[in-house]
Amino acid sequence: MTARTRPFTAEDHRARMDRAARTAADAGLAGLLVAPGPDMVWLTGYTPPADTERLTMLVLAPGREPVLVVPTLEAPDAEHAVGASALTFRRWTDGTDPYAVTAKLLDHAGRFGISDNAWAMHLLGLQRTLPGTSYASLTDALPMLRAVKDTAEVELLAAAGAAADAAFEEIRAVRFAGRRETEISRDLADLLRGFGHEQVDFTIVASGPNGANPHHEAGDRVVGDGDMVVLDFGGLKDGYGSDTSRTVHVGEPTEEERTVHDLVRAAQEAGVRAVRPGAACQDVDRAARAVIDAAGYGEFFIHRTGHGIGVTTHEPPYMIEGEEQPLVPGMCFSVEPGVYLPGRFGVRIEDIVTVTPDGGRRLNDTTREMVIVE
Amino acid sequence: MTARTRPFTAEDHRARMDRAARTAADAGLAGLLVAPGPDMVWLTGYTPPADTERLTMLVLAPGREPVLVVPTLEAPDAEHAVGASALTFRRWTDGTDPYAVTAKLLDHAGRFGISDNAWAMHLLGLQRTLPGTSYASLTDALPMLRAVKDTAEVELLAAAGAAADAAFEEIRAVRFAGRRETEISRDLADLLRGFGHEQVDFTIVASGPNGANPHHEAGDRVVGDGDMVVLDFGGLKDGYGSDTSRTVHVGEPTEEERTVHDLVRAAQEAGVRAVRPGAACQDVDRAARAVIDAAGYGEFFIHRTGHGIGVTTHEPPYMIEGEEQPLVPGMCFSVEPGVYLPGRFGVRIEDIVTVTPDGGRRLNDTTREMVIVE
């Protein structure tokens, strides 16, 4: 779920690596071990040709130059990464021990932050090679490392959001009744690509009872007149994510369908209104959940209210009970309450929101009223 | 790099899980912890909608029913997996601790095998929750778990290989000179899809000096007359992998180009001839490498000779010095020596080979002579 962060320069990447190393030192860590994926692409601009059993790892330690441990046969690619000029390369060749190579760069009694998605095999290799070291996942140790976006990043997220909105404006005009979910899903994916997404992560089309499964993707069900249809779609445009949901209705809704839709809309509005610097992440969840609870639908809102977004479509901060992290201007995340009535239908409404000094600013702006489709 | 293993039944998956649990017990393990990806799709047929921070983990323990720990909101998908009837589900909901849920299923002083690609975050969560446990990656603990393919699997790999061969037969007829590597790469990807691949993992087109970088993918370089061009392509067809390489030449080759190509062909032939039950994996590497070494090109063969293939295009067993694992009928892997002359050109020839009682049987069968293209 990552792509090259093309708009950024070697200097941008160098500054991010410097900041990450300083943040690690402030947190009492001896360094950071960064695996291929969103952390690495954000820090260095580098994505290996494939994420395989061959170890590729960025080592950031306070006061030292960043080092990329890389398989010899992938080094030529790594040397072309946008951030390569800030990196020293340590090549290792098939048949040698990459953990021994990495260990030479590490404090043998240090505690390190490691990318959430680093392979367990690689973590075990390091633990075996350096039994005096200890590790914490980046989400545990430095959850906010990538959470506060700079102006250029917010603009990229806004552009991705605008592209997703444009896709919604077109999809609402297509025919739903009589077509399979998978067909509409494919239309949505084509629209996202057409509006500039280089990567489509999901185009959920969940009609009727399928809408009651929040992670239903799209199936063979033929959408019918009278169906509620949850649309939830996103991906990466110029390396930054979109993720938005709207729930549409084929023909006239029942009173209950309208009631539940209005309720979710009110909950989403309450969640967005709770966004302001200094509020806790959990306050956003509580604000949205309180509306649904008060209406007696609390047991049908079965997921957290939101998640961060950046070079991935799912990252910290999480808008969830127990997350006391204060909101800071530049944070970007989804606000997406839902109500799921098993066997019947579901409703979810989702916008990406960025924290500004004055409160939350939505990066999606299509109507949140129930859209009637054909 | 995985897809659903559609041709297999719930009973097939149950048998695989039983076998995996028994193999784990034989290796002195208290169980296996299986992450989303190739291990999980092979064992259960299940691929989560996305591989995220939300824990999904299959727990296999000798003498116990398999349990899938799954986020509540993804449970409806998991319940539709081909192997679901053999599984018990343990749901966990956002805001609760998935490691505590998993810990209840585990021997608190046991040693477990864990998928190579399990997230480090999840391994750390388990280590923290159960400090008396220890872990080994599946590649270390049970490297051959998926290595010996049954007849149906070999047939699927053969069909994927035949599809890749069909793609080569078409690509060799297209015009190379004057076109960008990326254009030819796109043609190759379209051909793989056209011949039934649901997933394309790589379509390397490395012309002239780019061919000297074994993992070069495809760039803006315009192929010219006189170029050597390494083609290396593969993906998944019906859930099983293809991976083949041929090196073609635009117009008449020089004597040196022909010499190097003949050398690699002889090395590849020697590698395939070394395949027989009971030989060690490293014998295949040694056989291929000896030919290149003897010709004085040893320093330019900078990677191992091969890797296993199955529900991924890269997995154990590895044909590499130091790998003493004996070959067993049903194992399937690449034999792909290469010579890479920096700044000049490269040659690689690769077939997938399966071990039979009588020796190696190639699953790719296009000519290994140098093909002249336009």
Side-chain angles (χ1 to χ4, degrees):
Chain A
M1 287 197 265
T2 63
R4 283 181 195 87
T5 52
R6 268 165 294 170
F8 299 100
T9 65
E11 275 317 299
D12 292 323
H13 287 292
R14 187 186 297 271
R16 288 176 181 175
M17 285 190 266
D18 284 351
R19 178 150 60 87
R22 280 199 311 277
T23 310
D26 292 347
L29 297 172
L32 300 182
L33 299 169
V34 179
D39 296 324
M40 187 174 285
V41 80
W42 184 77
L43 287 163
T44 69
Y46 179 54
T47 301
D51 188 12
T52 72
E53 72 291 349
R54 285 194 178 102
L55 181 74
T56 298
M57 191 160 268
L58 172 69
V59 178
L60 296 179
R64 289 222 207 148
E65 288 298 296
V67 179
L68 188 72
V69 177
V70 64
T72 300
L73 82 174
E74 293 171 8
D77 283 319
E79 287 160 4
H80 284 94
V82 178
S85 63
L87 298 172
T88 302
F89 295 90
R90 283 280 184 292
R91 293 163 192 78
W92 67 272
T93 304
D94 283 355
T96 64
D97 179 355
Y99 309 115
V101 172
T102 310
K104 286 191 189 144
L105 305 166
L106 304 181
D107 171 352
H108 291 196
R111 182 168 179 78
F112 295 89
I114 185 166
S115 289
D116 296 356
N117 66 318
W119 281 29
M121 179 168 76
H122 298 320
L123 173 59
L124 289 165
L126 291 168
Q127 289 175 330
R128 187 175 61 231
T129 307
L130 293 175
T133 52
S134 66
Y135 301 85
S137 73
L138 281 186
T139 283
D140 282 334
L142 299 180
M144 300 306 143
L145 181 62
R146 294 191 273 112
V148 179
K149 273 66 181 178
D150 64 27
T151 310
E153 291 184 289
V154 174
E155 277 173 24
L156 286 162
L157 286 163
D165 284 358
F168 178 73
E169 293 299 352
E170 298 232 347
I171 203 75
R172 62 180 281 189
V174 310
R175 185 158 187 86
F176 278 63
R179 296 176 72 218
R180 290 186 197 282
E181 292 175 349
T182 44
E183 295 173 67
I184 301 164
S185 174
R186 210 170 303 127
D187 286 352
L188 252 178
D190 289 344
L191 284 167
L192 285 174
R193 287 196 199 91
F195 286 110
H197 280 62
E198 70 272 7
Q199 181 177 311
V200 175
D201 284 346
F202 45 88
T203 51
I204 294 174
V205 178
S207 66
N210 288 341
N213 169 5
H215 270 204
H216 176 81
E217 294 189 275
D220 286 339
R221 187 174 185 277
V222 175
V223 179
D225 194 45
D227 278 348
M228 283 281 232
V229 187
V230 179
L231 307 172
D232 184 346
F233 46 100
L236 298 183
K237 178 178 183 296
D238 295 327
Y240 278 76
S242 69
D243 187 0
T244 183
S245 303
R246 291 293 185 265
T247 303
V248 301
H249 196 276
V250 186
E252 268 312 296
T254 64
E255 193 168 321
E256 186 193 19
E257 287 170 335
R258 202 169 273 290
T259 301
V260 172
H261 192 280
D262 286 352
L263 174 63
V264 173
R265 184 156 62 90
Q268 207 264 355
E269 184 67 33
V272 175
R273 274 204 315 268
V275 175
R276 52 178 177 71
C281 289
Q282 66 181 2
D283 296 339
V284 178
D285 185 79
R286 287 176 179 178
R289 199 168 300 275
V291 174
I292 292 172
D293 281 348
Y297 283 88
E299 68 181 296
F300 303 113
F301 177 16
I302 55 176
H303 56 72
R304 63 195 174 200
T305 293
H307 55 80
I309 189 166
V311 295
T312 75
T313 48
H314 253 214
E315 61 186 44
Y318 297 106
M319 306 300 118
I320 189 170
E321 181 65 32
E323 179 53 86
E324 297 175 356
Q325 167 69 40
L327 298 180
V328 175
M331 283 182 175
C332 299
F333 47 83
S334 67
V335 178
E336 50 172 315
V339 165
Y340 308 93
L341 302 177
R344 303 182 58 215
F345 66 90
V347 174
R348 182 165 63 258
I349 300 175
E350 172 183 24
D351 294 315
I352 301 303
V353 175
T354 182
V355 186
T356 79
D358 305 321
R361 173 189 149 214
R362 284 186 164 100
L363 302 184
N364 296 103
D365 204 27
T366 57
T367 182
R368 281 165 292 277
E369 304 275 348
M370 191 195 294
V371 168
I372 308 299
V373 298
E374 291 198 347
Chain B
M1 289 197 263
T2 63
R4 281 179 198 90
T5 52
R6 270 164 293 170
F8 298 100
T9 64
E11 276 316 300
D12 292 325
H13 287 292
R14 187 187 297 270
R16 288 176 182 176
M17 286 190 266
D18 284 351
R19 178 149 61 87
R22 280 200 311 276
T23 310
D26 292 346
L29 297 172
L32 300 182
L33 299 169
V34 178
D39 296 323
M40 187 174 285
V41 79
W42 184 76
L43 287 163
T44 70
Y46 179 54
T47 301
D51 188 14
T52 72
E53 73 290 349
R54 286 194 178 102
L55 181 74
T56 298
M57 192 159 267
L58 172 68
V59 179
L60 296 179
R64 290 221 207 149
E65 288 297 295
V67 179
L68 188 72
V69 177
V70 63
T72 300
L73 82 172
E74 293 172 7
D77 283 319
E79 288 159 5
H80 284 94
V82 177
S85 63
L87 298 172
T88 302
F89 295 91
R90 284 278 185 294
R91 293 163 191 77
W92 67 272
T93 304
D94 284 355
T96 64
D97 180 354
Y99 309 114
V101 172
T102 310
K104 285 189 191 146
L105 305 167
L106 304 181
D107 171 352
H108 290 196
R111 181 167 180 79
F112 296 89
I114 185 167
S115 289
D116 295 355
N117 67 316
W119 282 29
M121 179 168 76
H122 298 320
L123 173 59
L124 289 165
L126 291 168
Q127 289 175 330
R128 188 174 62 232
T129 306
L130 293 175
T133 51
S134 66
Y135 301 85
S137 73
L138 281 186
T139 283
D140 283 333
L142 300 180
M144 300 306 140
L145 181 61
R146 295 192 273 110
V148 179
K149 274 66 181 177
D150 65 26
T151 310
E153 291 184 288
V154 174
E155 277 173 23
L156 285 161
L157 287 164
D165 284 357
F168 178 74
E169 293 298 352
E170 298 233 346
I171 203 74
R172 61 180 281 189
V174 310
R175 184 158 187 88
F176 278 63
R179 296 175 73 217
R180 290 187 198 281
E181 292 174 350
T182 45
E183 295 173 67
I184 301 164
S185 174
R186 210 172 301 127
D187 286 350
L188 253 178
D190 289 345
L191 284 168
L192 285 174
R193 286 195 198 91
F195 287 109
H197 281 63
E198 70 273 6
Q199 182 177 312
V200 175
D201 284 347
F202 44 87
T203 51
I204 294 175
V205 178
S207 65
N210 289 340
N213 169 5
H215 270 203
H216 175 80
E217 295 190 274
D220 286 338
R221 187 173 186 279
V222 175
V223 179
D225 194 45
D227 278 348
M228 283 282 233
V229 187
V230 179
L231 306 172
D232 184 345
F233 47 101
L236 298 183
K237 177 178 183 296
D238 295 327
Y240 278 77
S242 69
D243 186 359
T244 184
S245 303
R246 291 292 184 266
T247 303
V248 302
H249 196 275
V250 186
E252 269 311 297
T254 64
E255 192 168 321
E256 185 193 18
E257 287 170 335
R258 203 169 273 289
T259 301
V260 173
H261 191 280
D262 286 351
L263 174 63
V264 173
R265 184 156 62 89
Q268 206 262 354
E269 185 67 33
V272 174
R273 274 204 315 266
V275 175
R276 53 177 176 74
C281 289
Q282 67 180 3
D283 295 339
V284 179
D285 184 80
R286 286 176 179 178
R289 200 168 299 274
V291 174
I292 293 172
D293 281 349
Y297 283 87
E299 68 182 296
F300 304 113
F301 177 15
I302 56 176
H303 56 72
R304 62 195 175 200
T305 293
H307 56 79
I309 189 166
V311 295
T312 75
T313 48
H314 253 214
E315 62 186 42
Y318 297 106
M319 305 301 117
I320 189 170
E321 181 63 33
E323 179 54 86
E324 297 175 358
Q325 168 69 38
L327 298 179
V328 174
M331 285 183 174
C332 298
F333 47 82
S334 67
V335 177
E336 51 172 315
V339 165
Y340 309 94
L341 302 177
R344 304 184 55 217
F345 67 90
V347 174
R348 182 165 62 258
I349 300 174
E350 172 183 24
D351 293 315
I352 301 303
V353 174
T354 183
V355 185
T356 78
D358 306 321
R361 173 189 149 214
R362 286 186 163 100
L363 303 184
N364 296 103
D365 205 28
T366 58
T367 181
R368 281 165 290 277
E369 304 276 346
M370 191 195 294
V371 168
I372 308 299
V373 298
E374 291 200 347

